[in-house]
Structures are given as C-alpha cells and as structure tokens.
Amino acid sequence: MTKNRFWEFKNYINGQWIDSFGKETMNNYCPGDGELVSTVAKSGEEDVNQAVKYAKEALEQSDWSYDPRLRSDALNEWARVIKENHEEASAILSLESGKPISEARMEVSNAINYLKYNAGAIKTLYGRSNSIDRNTLSIMSREPVGVVGAILPWNYPVTLFMRDAIPALAAGNTLVFKPASQTSASNMVLIKYLHETELMPKGVINGITGQGRVIGDRLINHPDIDMITFTGSSETGKNIMKVCADTMKKVSLELGGKSPNIVFADADIDKAIPYIIKAAFSNAGQLCTLGSRLILENSIAEMFLDRLVKEVESLKIGHGIEEDTQLGPVISEKQMNKIMGYIEEGKEDSWLLTGGFRLNVGDYAKGYFIAPTLLLNPPIKSKVVQEEIFGPVLAIQTFDTEEEAIELANCTDFGLASGVWTQDISKAMRVSRKIKAGTCWINCYNKLFPEAETGGFKSSGIGRAAGLEGILKYTEIKHICIDYLQG
Ligand code: NAP
C-alpha cells in the first residue's frame, strides 16, 4: 500500500500540466474521515476553450485519426503503466470516493481490462465495401466523429473513464474530459501515467477539472465539440440532451437505474444471497446497476429474509482504506442527508427489517456512514421504489405469480439492469425477454465485461457502452463512391 495520502494536479492540456487561467484550486476530502486527499485546478470557461482548441488542432494535424496501430500501441502502453502503479491508483480512488480498498483495486483492474479491449478491438474496426453495379464501388468507411467532450461521474470514476470515454480515442477522436469534482485526482493520476508513455500525440487527450455547472456547461455548449459522452444522473443527462440539440451534437448518455433482482422460489438460494447483497451494497449502494429492488416470491420470503438480514448485519462497515472493510461511507454529507431522507420516508410505509440509521460515533464520527437498510413491501408508487436513492438501501417487493414479478420489475421509469434467479431456464428466458432493461443477468449479477454492451432502456440512457457498439458510437459512416467507367 502506498504511504502517500495527498495528491495535487493541474489541468492537462496539449500534453502539458498547466494552472487554470484563474489560478484557482479546489480541495477534495475523504468521506471516511474528512482528511484532505487532493487539490486540483478549479477551471473556468477559458480553460475549456483552450482545451477544445488544442483537441481540434490535434484532430486535424496529428496522425491519431488515421493510424489505428498508433492508437492501439498508445492504449496498450497506458494499460501497462497503470498496472505498474496499481496500488497508487487504487489508494487515491479509495481515499477520494470512500470505497473499500478491495473494491478500488478491482475497479483499477477492470479499467485496465477495458483499456486493453479497446486497444485490441480498434485494430479490426473495418468498414464495408459493396459493388452496386458494373462500374461502381461503394466504400462505407468509419471515421471519427471529431472532438468529443466527456463528463464523468464520481461513483466508478476509473472504470467508467475507460469504459465510456476512452473508446472515443480508440475510434480516432480527440478528447476533452471533465472528471466529477469529488474524484478528480482519481482520473488525473491516470493521465500522469499516460504522460509517461510519451506515445499519445499532444492535444489528443485533455483533462480539465472544475465544477460541472461551469465547465461541464461550457463543454456541452461549445460549438467545436462534436459529441458529448456523459455518465451521471438522469436529471443532468436530460438537461445535457436538451442543450446539445442547439448545436446538434451527438450524445451518449449512461444514466441512473432502479434495477430489480427477481428471486423465484426455485432459485439456488445459497448462490443468490451473496449476489443480492453485493448487488445492493457494493460501493455503499452508489452503483448505477445497483440491484436496489429485490422482487421476492412470497412462498420463500420468510426463510429468505431471515437469512438475508443475518448476512447484511454481519457486513464489516469501516473506513475504505482498511483492508477488511466491506461497506464504506457514502460520498458526501449532502448525499448522506439525501439518503437518510429516503430512509425516513420509507420507514413510514414499509417494514424496516434492519438498518435505517447513521453510524456517527467512535471511528465513524468524522465520516458519512449509513447502516445497510432493508425495507419490506413499500407501496409501488413510493419514492423508495420509484427513485434512485444511490445509497445502501434495498427495497423488497413480494409477488405470487410470474406476471406479477414482471410487472413489478418494469414498474419504474428506469431500465438499466435486472437479475432473474430460477433453476428453470424456460422461465428465466421468458422473464428476461419481458424485462425492459439493457442487461438481464440470469443466476448472477453485475457481471460487466469489456466485450459486452451495457446501457439503458427508458430514462436510463441513450446508446451503449463497452463492446463493439461502445466504440462504433464514436464513428460516423461515410459512403465513398467510385465510378470507374472510362469516358
Ligand atoms: P451527476 O450529478 O449528474 O454528475 C455527473 C457529472 O456531471 C459530474 O462530472 C458533474 O460535475 C457533471 N455536471 C453536473 N452538473 C452539470 C451541468 N449542469 N452541466 C454539465 N455537467 C454537469 O451524477 P453523479 O452524482 O456524479 O453520479 C451518479 C449518477 O450517475 C447516478 O444517477 C448513477 O446511476 C449514474 N451513473 C450511471 C452509469 C451508467 O453506466 N448508466 C454509471 C455510473 C453512474 P460535478 O461533479 O463538478 O458536479
């Protein structure tokens, strides 16, 4: 484990570390103990303008867009250097976000895998050709969209940077990215590793830190940005889509969720329970694909919930940087208060099976800790069923028939992910086809792979991340038509 507990970063523009125009900075504090973790540039509109200018120059003047081998080599080298610095990258992530160090390490490993996938996939990103008549050849070539602006979230900043934004680079675009304020250093340290490789031409990637409503807003309005890729809340995503219409930018939106895990009576309960717990309480419940609703068949509810409560109550809650922590703090005081508001409302019209309170004495006094909370049978229209809480709260709904289970699964505006637990494969397939969500895991949960697309139906987003679609969305198709008939 690295001994360092403080990091400092400037903006990274045109291959150089530079102060923001206003020379302002902002601090990030650990949600587990309130200690200062990082200081980064607090940028303004001028910084965005400068970054976009260099990104545009790099697009037009460097070989990046034309040379997939260069792109593949640069991304592979980057992956290698991140791996060499795995512990440092994990420590910053754990300290900035509060997540358990074991989860931070896994996140960095996943990020490396996404990077390597992109480095490999880009070598076979072929277009198509077709001969429509005797004298013509049509070439459908894939070209980069242009300058892409990426706005990142704080909950999985490292993996989602690689999953959602870096495919834009793989496809030959140039990039200006903005990390979430709370986890800026977790992203900027990755740029430090990239800088060491000296393989990426200047201006191809530019990272600027600062507030979303200032620099995020400038990115989505900037006339020289051709596409915005955004990962964050549905509320901000909807606003981004509206603003992007004015300059006709392409958008990719990876947004929120309220994902159901349906457990039928014939499920393998021993396998299901640990998955349900991880699905609901990983990263203190701050996960887009969180299995935040358990939809449980009535005939096994009592037995299942007895076991679930015991397991949930045995989770080790603690500071993220401690090796044995299973549940860390939530990201901020504001988030904690918001979650507690949902819990208080939930207690009024559902059964509180466990949790429902803050931990704020002794080792927990300086952090934002909430006990993992189980709420049984909240009304279908209640906020704890309909809204994304983004905290360690599991809403449990019960059912008697398959139709009822499907109806409950689809009862919210979200459609990001889902899980189905049964040993009857016909039932599993029937149900998975009827759930309106971008992913359905059968007898597992949260198995996200660089090779497999992920994304949302309904209010959970537009477009797909990862897999081939995650790269192709960053391309335009151009039809080049050759007529070789001679005069
Ligand atoms: P958020 O509040 O929407 O913020 C996301 C990003 O948008 C941050 O970088 C933020 O900057 C920026 N931003 C805020 N206001 C903006 C504005 N007016 N214009 C442009 N940018 C703006 O979301 P979050 O709280 O960080 O992340 C949690 C949400 O993300 C949850 O809803 C979760 O489900 C969703 N999420 C979805 C996926 C997925 O794959 N579908 C993955 C991860 C997270 P500041 O930090 O500076 O405010």
Side-chain angles (χ1 to χ4, degrees):
M1 169 66 65
T2 172
K3 296 236 168 13
N4 201 358
R5 286 287 184 279
F6 173 74
W7 291 266
E8 196 168 8
F9 292 103
K10 297 179 178 181
N11 284 332
Y12 187 76
I13 298 179
N14 200 31
Q16 289 179 329
W17 295 99
I18 54 174
D19 285 321
S20 66
F21 272 91
K23 302 251 185 288
E24 280 187 86
T25 56
M26 55 188 198
N27 293 331
N28 286 314
Y29 300 90
C30 176
D33 56 21
E35 295 288 322
L36 181 65
V37 182
S38 58
T39 298
V40 296
K42 187 175 177 188
S43 311
E45 290 193 9
E46 282 173 294
D47 301 289
V48 178
N49 295 346
Q50 194 187 29
V52 174
K53 175 177 156 285
Y54 284 115
K56 198 171 174 210
E57 268 180 31
L59 183 79
E60 288 163 1
Q61 293 167 16
S62 78
D63 287 337
W64 188 253
S65 298
Y66 298 95
D67 189 345
R69 286 186 180 170
L70 166 64
R71 305 203 295 266
S72 181
D73 288 349
L75 297 185
N76 265 326
E77 262 304 280
W78 191 8
R80 186 187 64 72
V81 183
I82 297 174
K83 199 169 172 196
E84 276 178 12
N85 293 280
H86 198 288
E87 270 307 296
E88 183 189 39
S90 307
I92 301 185
L93 177 58
S94 171
L95 288 165
E96 273 196 330
S97 70
K99 71 179 60 187
I101 184 70
S102 55
E103 287 186 28
R105 288 191 186 114
M106 202 182 305
E107 180 170 345
V108 174
S109 297
N110 289 341
I112 293 169
N113 287 337
Y114 278 103
L115 200 44
K116 284 185 183 166
Y117 170 77
N118 281 296
I122 195 58
K123 287 191 168 175
T124 56
L125 193 73
Y126 306 129
R128 285 179 289 123
S129 68
N130 195 4
S131 189
I132 310 293
D133 63 37
R134 194 180 285 258
N135 299 308
T136 58
L137 178 68
S138 286
I139 300 168
M140 268 63 75
S141 79
R142 292 259 176 200
E143 297 185 3
V145 176
V147 178
V148 175
I151 301 175
L152 309 175
W154 48 261
N155 63 335
Y156 285 83
V158 175
T159 298
L160 298 179
F161 184 39
M162 296 304 171
R163 188 196 75 177
D164 298 356
I166 295 309
L169 289 184
N173 301 275
T174 57
L175 190 68
V176 178
F177 74 90
K178 182 208 113 47
S181 289
Q182 294 101 326
T183 49
S184 295
S186 299
N187 286 119
M188 297 311 274
V189 75
L190 301 175
I191 301 302
K192 183 182 90 170
Y193 307 145
L194 172 70
H195 189 73
E196 277 178 30
T197 69
E198 295 182 357
L199 276 181
M200 200 171 277
K202 284 179 183 169
V204 165
I205 189 166
N206 305 275
I208 42 174
T209 52
Q211 294 170 311
R213 60 189 164 76
V214 180
I215 60 170
D217 191 63
R218 179 60 190 145
L219 277 174
I220 60 179
N221 278 292
H222 200 295
D224 287 338
I225 292 221
D226 302 288
M227 177 170 176
I228 289 287
T229 183
F230 171 78
T231 309
S233 63
S234 295
E235 194 189 339
T236 312
K238 282 176 189 171
N239 178 50
I240 286 177
M241 197 171 167
K242 281 185 205 151
V243 174
C244 284
D246 283 342
T247 44
M248 205 45 106
K249 290 181 185 16
K250 289 180 86 170
V251 285
S252 170
L253 302 173
E254 294 293 329
L255 309 177
K258 190 75 189 179
S259 302
N261 239 319
I262 304 177
V263 179
F264 286 99
D266 66 347
D268 177 343
I269 307 293
D270 290 336
K271 183 179 176 190
I273 285 182
Y275 266 101
I276 302 289
I277 291 174
K278 273 203 151 184
F281 300 115
S282 287
N283 200 24
Q286 303 161 116
L287 167 66
C288 54
T289 54
L290 198 77
S292 52
R293 289 186 299 134
L294 169 62
I295 299 182
L296 186 58
E297 189 156 352
N298 256 320
S299 59
I300 56 161
E302 199 179 328
M303 170 275 294
F304 191 96
L305 292 175
D306 274 353
R307 286 185 59 179
L308 189 67
V309 168
K310 279 196 194 89
E311 298 279 336
V312 167
E313 287 177 348
S314 72
L315 288 174
K316 169 81 175 63
I317 304 172
H319 194 294
I321 209 71
E322 284 159 17
E323 291 289 343
D324 58 349
T325 291
Q326 292 173 300
L327 190 83
V330 298
I331 188 79
S332 64
E333 187 174 8
K334 187 172 163 216
Q335 184 71 7
M336 178 184 71
N337 291 337
K338 190 173 153 205
I339 298 164
M340 288 309 298
Y342 279 111
I343 292 177
E344 291 309 324
E345 272 195 62
K347 280 188 200 170
E348 282 171 20
D349 49 17
S350 35
W351 293 99
L352 177 69
L353 298 183
T354 185
F357 56 89
R358 280 187 58 196
L359 293 98
N360 52 6
V361 291
D363 288 348
Y364 303 116
K366 291 184 186 160
Y368 311 123
F369 295 92
I370 298 177
T373 299
L374 301 180
L375 294 168
L376 177 61
N377 279 332
I380 195 164
K381 294 288 176 212
S382 66
K383 283 189 180 171
V384 297
V385 170
Q386 295 297 331
E387 296 183 12
E388 188 181 40
I389 299 174
F390 231 50
V393 183
L394 178 63
I396 302 157
Q397 301 168 277
T398 53
F399 68 91
D400 290 307
T401 66
E402 191 177 309
E403 291 68 33
E404 216 184 318
I406 294 164
E407 206 179 308
L408 288 174
N410 289 332
C411 80
T412 75
D413 286 340
F414 295 105
L416 191 58
S418 58
V420 176
W421 293 86
T422 171
Q423 302 202 51
D424 175 346
I425 189 66
S426 305
K427 194 195 300 184
M429 287 309 298
R430 264 196 321 270
V431 174
S432 72
R433 293 298 298 267
K434 289 193 175 154
I435 296 178
K436 294 187 178 68
T439 302
C440 182
W441 287 290
I442 295 174
N443 297 331
C444 60
Y445 201 84
N446 264 335
K447 283 190 184 275
L448 290 150
F449 306 121
E451 298 81 359
E453 278 77 2
T454 179
F457 284 30
K458 304 195 278 184
S459 287
S460 290
I462 291 187
R464 289 292 176 271
L468 211 47
E469 296 292 334
I471 301 178
L472 293 180
K473 72 182 174 189
Y474 290 112
T475 64
E476 297 276 19
I477 298 176
K478 183 180 284 172
H479 175 199
I480 299 173
C481 181
I482 309 165
D483 183 339
Y484 48 88
L485 181 70
Q486 287 193 317

